[in-house]
Amino acid sequence: MRVEIWSDINCPWCYIGKARFERALERFPHREAVEVVHRSFELDPRAPHEARPVVPLIAAKYGLGLEQAEAAEQRIADNAEAEGLAYLRSGRDAANSFDMHRLLHFAAEHGRQAELLDALYRANFAEERSAFAPGRLTELAVEAGLDGAEAARVLADPDAYAEAVREDEATASAMGATGVPFFVLDRRLGVSGAQPAETFTAALEQAWESRTVVPLVTVGGDSVGGDSGGGNSGGADTGGACGPEGCEVPQH
């Protein structure tokens, strides 16, 4: 069974959702038969490559004061830390993530995609030094077990793996995905948002038990790719998610 996960490194709910999904996968009895593939999704393809502080961006996006935006970021940090994830509570930034996605496709070809994704998330959400600092992506590629010179050549060529990124994004659009994280199990069952681990467990069980061709449906979102003839995992509330307009501001 294949699970495809569309995400963006700029999305804190993707960081949290990945941890929740992995917790569910760890206790799934057929986990050795599950292939996990990470797909590209850019929250803001027009974002500048120069890093900008996140809190003012949140304030501008949602019409909040800086203190309110800081409190919203702190609540996301609380959610992350509840999953055992380190989270930088001040000073986080964001920038264009296209090069990160290109590098993740390069890493996938070398069997190191999961390692690089973890390194990128850690650098973006848990470390003082910006993941977008000059030369930082090459360093993170080396940390993930990739050849630094090869990674640098990929980053220096704006066309390298660009088509692969666009293909992922086109597929997400065709499925009706407008936000991330978005999990698709065998192209049949979709789970939208950073749902609780229990919801991912139910989705894995349902997808495993109903391995027949049925329309893709989503948990925590609208049906995708047809009617809901395949059913879903049962009415869970939508988890935290990031969409084209930014990340949901948690209210509790």
Side-chain angles (χ1 to χ4, degrees), residues 188 210-215:
R188 296 183 291 111
S210 60
R211 282 171 289 165
T212 58
V213 178
V214 294

Side-chain angles (χ1 to χ4, degrees), residues 91-126:
R92 187 169 70 85
D93 57 20
N96 192 290
S97 61
F98 191 67
D99 286 346
M100 290 178 168
H101 289 297
R102 293 195 301 110
L103 199 61
L104 282 166
H105 279 280
F106 163 71
E109 285 193 354
H110 292 272
R112 307 299 293 179
Q113 186 185 57
E115 291 80 1
L116 179 60
L117 184 61
D118 284 342
L120 291 170
Y121 276 140
R122 183 181 66 250
N124 196 33
F125 293 111

Side-chain angles (χ1 to χ4, degrees), residues 199-210:
T199 299
F200 288 120
T201 296
L204 286 165
E205 291 172 350
Q206 179 181 331
W208 184 264
E209 293 169 1
S210 60

Side-chain angles (χ1 to χ4, degrees), residues 206 219 232-236:
Q206 179 181 331
V219 175
N232 61 36
S233 293

Side-chain angles (χ1 to χ4, degrees), residues 3-100:
V3 179
E4 297 166 276
I5 307 173
W6 274 263
S7 58
D8 189 4
I9 305 304
N10 281 317
C11 168
W13 289 114
C14 296
Y15 180 47
I16 294 167
K18 179 177 180 290
R20 291 175 177 173
F21 170 77
E22 288 176 347
R23 183 149 52 90
L25 185 61
E26 283 176 5
R27 59 192 184 211
F28 183 57
H30 309 288
R31 62 187 178 277
E32 298 302 325
V34 177
E35 176 192 12
V36 178
V37 179
H38 294 278
R39 302 292 189 191
S40 301
F41 189 105
E42 294 173 275
L43 290 173
D44 184 4
R46 298 181 299 276
H49 288 271
E50 296 76 21
R52 300 169 294 169
V54 162
V55 168
L57 291 177
I58 294 174
K61 178 67 68 176
Y62 294 101
L64 303 174
L66 288 178
E67 289 186 3
Q68 291 174 300
E70 181 68 31
E73 177 73 356
Q74 295 302 310
R75 287 191 289 272
I76 294 176
D78 290 342
N79 276 271
E81 291 171 359
E83 300 299 327
L85 298 171
Y87 199 96
L88 188 65
R89 285 183 170 266
S90 63
R92 187 169 70 85
D93 57 20
N96 192 290
S97 61
F98 191 67
D99 286 346
M100 290 178 168

Side-chain angles (χ1 to χ4, degrees), residues 120-155:
L120 291 170
Y121 276 140
R122 183 181 66 250
N124 196 33
F125 293 111
E127 296 181 352
E128 292 284 347
R129 185 181 176 195
S130 174
F132 303 97
R136 186 69 172 127
L137 292 185
T138 300
E139 292 176 5
L140 292 171
V142 172
E143 289 179 21
L146 294 163
D147 182 87
E150 288 186 31
R153 282 194 290 272
V154 169
L155 292 169

